[in-house]
Amino acid sequence: MDYSRPICALLALVVFYLSHLAQCTNAKINFREKEKQILDQILGPGRYDARIRPSGINGTDGPAVVNINLFVRSITTISDIKMEYSVQLTFREQWLDERLKFNNLGGRLKYLTLTEANRVWMPDLFFSNEKEGHFHNIIMPNVYIRIFPNGNVLYSIRISLTLSCPMNLKLYPLDKQTCSLRMASYGWTTDDLVFLWKEGDPVQVVKNLHLPRFTLEKFLTDYCNSKTNTGEYSCLKVDLLFKREFSYYLIQIYIPCCMLVIVSWVSFWLDQGAVPARVSLGVTTLLTMATQSSGINASLPPVSYTKAIDVWTGVCLTFVFGALLEFALVNYASRSDMHRENMKKTRREMEAAASMDAASDLLDTDSNTTFAMMRQCEIHMTPPKKNCCRIWMSKFPTRSKRIDVISRITFPLVFALFNLAYWSTYLFRDEEEQK
């Protein structure tokens, strides 16, 4: 009798039953409970000490390597007077800690999640140019730690920082500023801890980043290790290059200053006798220009060097003040002209009286001799030739009128030359700094 066929059928039935039982058992596994068991296993007392740093690469005694990457969520404020800027970012660190390896249950557990940073070892990173900073705790603390099966640890947190940004304002408001974000180890030297930028794309910036008065042109990542008496410390930095938006300053400062300077020239076209009008116009434009200058300086820190805006406002203030002084000169020249006219009138009256006396004396002399002398005087009194400038100036008989006419041409011409020199100098200097 052949028993092989029933035995094979029985074995097949047993295998099918066992596989079905295994599937039912897997379906009933509570992976959240497994996560708890694994965390208790790898982080339990006596098994893991958060005070001890991880080993180096490939389990060596070298320094622990921590990879850093950032996501800049927003840049809210860039203050010129305080020389600082505020930024909100998602900060991430990643390192390998082989003590945290665990069984991923056939790929069913991708990673373990923690919200308590003190349960595992953490790099002692700090922001060296930070002035203020805080974490975000609404609704829950914005922080997590992921532990992967191979022992990789990912730490992510959302933070807001106010960082110092030393600025060079010599070209203000035609300037560009570089603000840095520096991260360094506080206690671990490079023998124990090394920070590296994550390969690929270590710094990301949110799309459509909008700043009121600046444009973020680009950003650069670099290393900034520092050596002190206690050793060398690993350091990373991000340089953010901001370009100031000039259109705001063109509308708010440059165009109003030009208008004030041009308005001050109106006094050159007013009558010399309109003293109240010319004085009030000159004083008003001068006070307005001074108020504009003080308002500009109030929004900037007191620095020891001259800024581009100082040159502009200073020259515009000088032109307005020069227009006021021009009226003082015209007023003095007008009074001098009146005095000269009075002197000439008196002299003419005296000469007329003297000529009448001389004429009566000449009636007794020889007429031929008198005619010869008068002819000789006419020959010697031939008028000199006049050039174009003198011919044009002769149209304005008084010195006060000549000063006004010369000012109408000189002031706009000099101001135009100043604008040419100013914009060519500072714009060209700005292009040199870009290189």
Side-chain angles (χ1 to χ4, degrees), residues 17-294:
Y17 175 75
L18 292 175
S19 62
H20 178 70
L21 182 63
Q23 292 177 0
C24 293
T25 303
N26 288 335
K28 294 180 180 179
I29 292 178
N30 188 342
F31 285 96
R32 305 290 79 78
E33 183 66 25
K34 285 293 184 181
E35 287 183 13
K36 177 183 179 303
Q37 294 176 5
I38 293 173
L39 286 173
D40 291 339
Q41 179 183 1
I42 62 177
L43 298 177
R47 296 188 57 85
Y48 186 86
D49 193 342
R51 299 171 298 177
I52 307 301
R53 72 168 179 86
S55 302
I57 299 176
N58 297 326
T60 62
D61 195 34
V65 178
V66 179
N67 294 295
I68 306 292
N69 71 310
L70 305 172
F71 176 64
V72 179
R73 293 181 173 272
S74 64
I75 300 174
T76 54
T77 307
I78 302 177
S79 175
D80 296 314
I81 190 167
K82 294 183 179 180
M83 292 198 177
E84 64 183 23
Y85 72 105
S86 299
V87 60
Q88 183 186 127
L89 50 88
T90 298
F91 174 74
R92 304 186 189 98
E93 297 176 305
Q94 193 166 4
W95 66 93
L96 177 65
D97 193 342
E98 295 184 351
R99 298 172 294 175
L100 299 176
K101 289 182 178 181
F102 64 90
N103 183 10
N104 61 358
L105 301 179
R108 300 296 295 272
L109 280 179
K110 294 184 178 180
Y111 52 81
L112 304 174
T113 302
L114 291 176
T115 56
E116 300 173 356
N118 58 354
R119 297 288 301 275
V120 298
W121 176 86
M122 292 289 299
D124 61 343
L125 180 141
F126 77 105
F127 297 93
S128 58
N129 60 331
E130 174 213 348
K131 299 176 73 173
E132 292 180 3
H134 67 272
F135 302 127
H136 293 265
N137 297 316
I138 299 175
I139 300 178
M140 293 293 292
N142 298 167
V143 58
Y144 68 78
I145 298 175
R146 290 177 181 173
I147 303 175
F148 294 87
N150 62 348
N152 267 322
V153 181
L154 173 63
Y155 174 73
S156 178
I157 188 170
R158 187 165 73 99
I159 53 179
S160 290
L161 300 170
T162 300
L163 304 162
S164 65
C165 178
M167 299 181 182
N168 186 349
L169 299 175
K170 288 184 178 180
L171 299 180
Y172 176 91
L174 300 166
D175 58 332
K176 293 183 179 182
Q177 301 297 337
T178 301
C179 296
S180 298
L181 173 64
R182 294 173 176 267
M183 301 159 286
S185 172
Y186 189 80
W188 298 96
T189 64
T190 53
D191 295 331
D192 296 308
L193 179 62
V194 172
F195 291 122
L196 297 176
W197 285 114
K198 185 178 179 180
E199 294 182 1
D201 195 8
V203 178
Q204 299 172 316
V205 179
V206 66
K207 294 182 179 179
N208 301 322
L209 180 65
H210 178 71
L211 298 172
R213 298 185 185 181
F214 288 88
T215 300
L216 179 60
E217 284 198 331
K218 60 181 178 180
F219 52 88
L220 303 171
T221 58
D222 201 356
Y223 296 88
C224 54
N225 291 8
S226 61
K227 292 183 180 180
T228 66
N229 293 335
T230 56
E232 182 180 0
Y233 297 89
S234 185
C235 175
L236 305 178
K237 72 171 182 177
V238 185
D239 290 332
L240 304 172
L241 181 60
F242 296 103
K243 181 180 181 181
R244 198 181 299 271
E245 289 290 344
F246 181 67
S247 58
Y248 168 82
Y249 301 93
L250 180 65
I251 297 172
Q252 296 294 326
I253 296 176
Y254 284 90
I255 292 179
C257 288
C258 278
M259 293 173 65
L260 286 173
V261 172
I262 294 172
V263 167
S264 69
W265 299 341
V266 174
S267 64
F268 304 154
W269 300 86
L270 296 179
D271 187 72
Q272 302 166 11
V275 175
R278 296 187 70 162
V279 170
S280 59
L281 181 63
V283 172
T284 302
T285 52
L286 182 63
L287 292 177
T288 307
M289 191 66 222
T291 304
Q292 181 88 343
S293 301
S294 61

Side-chain angles (χ1 to χ4, degrees), residues 257-258 261 289 311-321 415 418:
C257 288
C258 278
V261 172
M289 191 66 222
V311 176
W312 175 264
T313 55
V315 172
C316 289
L317 189 62
T318 303
F319 270 92
V320 174
F321 184 66
F415 190 67
F418 162 71

Side-chain angles (χ1 to χ4, degrees), residues 304-350:
S304 59
Y305 48 82
T306 302
K307 304 179 289 292
I309 195 68
D310 295 334
V311 176
W312 175 264
T313 55
V315 172
C316 289
L317 189 62
T318 303
F319 270 92
V320 174
F321 184 66
L324 186 60
L325 290 182
E326 188 270 350
F327 168 68
L329 182 61
V330 166
N331 187 266
Y332 173 78
S334 177
R335 288 185 284 109
S336 178
D337 290 337
M338 292 178 61
H339 180 69
R340 290 177 63 186
E341 286 295 328
N342 293 332
M343 293 294 292
K344 286 181 179 180
K345 184 177 180 182
T346 304
R347 188 180 299 112
R348 281 196 299 268
E349 291 177 353
M350 294 177 64

